[in-house]
Amino acid sequence: MTAAAQAEFADDGPLDESDQVFATAAELFRLLATPIRLKIISALCGHEKNVSQLLHEIETTQPNMSQHLATLYRAGVLVRRRDATQIYYRIGSERAAMLCRAVCTQIAVEMDDGDEIPAAERLVPRPAMKG
């Protein structure tokens, strides 16, 4: 757990086990809270890719892509290897990838079959009806 995550609980005294679990989960959700990072994880679920291949799939600038790749790498979500002048990235944390897949898949299902899913079972609220 990072110092920032620990600081959120610092006023309450030492962290017990459940506090550590929630703080660690919140830290992971903060890391994944950027759409481009979710797109990167999704693009790498099948196999490793270099930055050029990722830029072909994900519309962003090269500096922005590199910044997000570095953040995911430092957090251990991605691993990398160098091959001559190219750096290849792949999933380093299968748990983070599974969480990303589960949440994004569920939201996609809700968007496609929104009327069939009871409100209590939805991850996101239904969009407001226009008209």
Side-chain angles (χ1 to χ4, degrees), residues 53-112:
Q53 291 168 317
L54 289 167
L55 285 168
H56 183 73
E57 291 182 36
I58 301 168
E59 189 173 326
T60 190
T61 64
Q62 189 277 328
N64 191 41
M65 176 69 74
S66 293
Q67 178 185 6
H68 288 291
L69 288 168
T71 299
L72 291 168
Y73 171 75
R74 282 192 306 272
V77 174
L78 301 181
V79 294
R80 63 185 179 195
R81 71 173 178 88
R82 181 177 293 277
D83 184 15
T85 61
Q86 295 291 319
I87 297 177
Y88 288 85
Y89 290 88
R90 68 180 186 278
I91 299 296
S93 169
E94 193 55 42
R95 288 180 180 162
M98 284 188 338
L99 177 62
C100 174
R101 258 191 314 269
V103 171
C104 291
T105 299
Q106 180 62 33
I107 290 170
V109 166
E110 290 179 13
M111 291 173 73
D112 286 346

Side-chain angles (χ1 to χ4, degrees), residues 42-55:
S42 178
L44 293 173
C45 278
H47 56 282
E48 71 177 13
K49 295 179 181 170
N50 64 33
V51 176
S52 297
Q53 291 168 317
L54 289 167
L55 285 168

